[in-house]
Amino acid sequence: MTSDINRLVAVSNRLPMKLFQQDGQWRTSPGTGGLVTALAPVLKNRGGLWIGWPGSADLTDPEVLQEVMWQASRESGYRFHSVNLSAEDVQGYYYGFANEVIWPLFHDLQGRCRFVPEYWRSYREVNRKFATVIARNCREDDYLWVHDYHLMGVAQALGEMNVHIPSGFFLHI
């Protein structure tokens, strides 16, 4: 990995990897898709960092998760930090608010929205969890790039924490 000066820090709902168990061991394989294809070379070149949920609520041992993230970082050429979410977090934040409220609203399908107050609370709490991981792992000279509607509350949460990092937001949809 290259120097961490002026790093690009990508933040997305999911890390660009697949997390799975094989022979009792947690392993990762590289993710696919346009976001990974576009950002991975930039992050590798600049010594970047990607923050996101690893895709499983089953891996709860922090030491094992740290080892898995370290190994994935070595293989990719840039660093990963996970945002740990419970199954309840994923249900309320992702399947609930993001997919049952925001997605239909942004696609002019208001009649398909399912407004459940707990979804909103979960969405705000998960965005705060992302902001906390960002605050712990970013420096003032990093550039933060937040991806998509799942994380529209991250900037507000960072502001409430008095964390000011140059940043951009990309609304994929």
Side-chain angles (χ1 to χ4, degrees):
M1 284 184 249
T2 61
S3 169
D4 285 344
I5 296 173
N6 298 316
R7 294 182 305 178
L8 174 63
V9 179
V11 184
S12 63
N13 174 55
R14 290 283 305 267
L15 286 170
M17 66 178 72
K18 294 176 184 157
L19 186 64
F20 61 95
Q21 272 193 305
Q22 182 179 37
D23 300 325
Q25 299 291 318
W26 284 98
R27 303 187 188 288
T28 62
S29 63
T32 58
L35 184 62
V36 177
T37 301
L39 290 181
V42 177
L43 292 168
K44 186 174 183 177
N45 182 40
R46 298 194 55 165
L49 168 63
W50 198 313
I51 295 173
W53 179 53
S56 176
D58 296 330
L59 180 50
T60 58
D61 184 330
E63 289 180 18
V64 173
L65 183 58
Q66 183 177 355
E67 176 62 28
V68 169
M69 292 297 106
W70 181 82
Q71 184 61 36
S73 295
R74 285 189 61 221
E75 292 169 5
S76 71
Y78 56 93
R79 294 186 8 216
F80 297 110
H81 280 288
S82 66
V83 178
N84 301 326
L85 302 178
S86 68
E88 294 80 20
D89 288 335
V90 174
Q91 186 61 42
Y93 143 80
Y94 181 79
Y95 292 111
F97 196 78
N99 289 344
E100 291 190 18
V101 177
I102 298 173
W103 194 92
L105 281 175
F106 282 17
H107 290 86
D108 201 24
L109 299 168
Q110 296 85 349
R112 294 190 181 176
C113 291
R114 187 164 169 250
F115 297 100
V116 177
E118 183 52 40
Y119 289 171
W120 174 240
R121 286 188 286 276
S122 181
Y123 184 82
R124 287 180 45 93
E125 179 57 33
V126 168
N127 274 256
R128 281 198 268 322
K129 287 182 180 187
F130 272 83
T132 299
V133 173
I134 292 165
R136 287 183 184 150
N137 292 286
C138 288
R139 301 184 305 250
E140 290 179 8
D141 63 341
D142 288 339
Y143 183 80
L144 185 63
W145 189 86
V146 180
H147 183 77
D148 222 354
Y149 64 101
H150 310 92
L151 301 172
M152 289 189 299
V154 164
Q156 179 178 355
L158 287 168
E160 290 169 356
M161 295 174 180
N162 203 28
V163 174
H164 305 287
I165 302 167
S167 60
F169 176 78
F170 179 75
L171 186 57
H172 189 99
I173 60 172

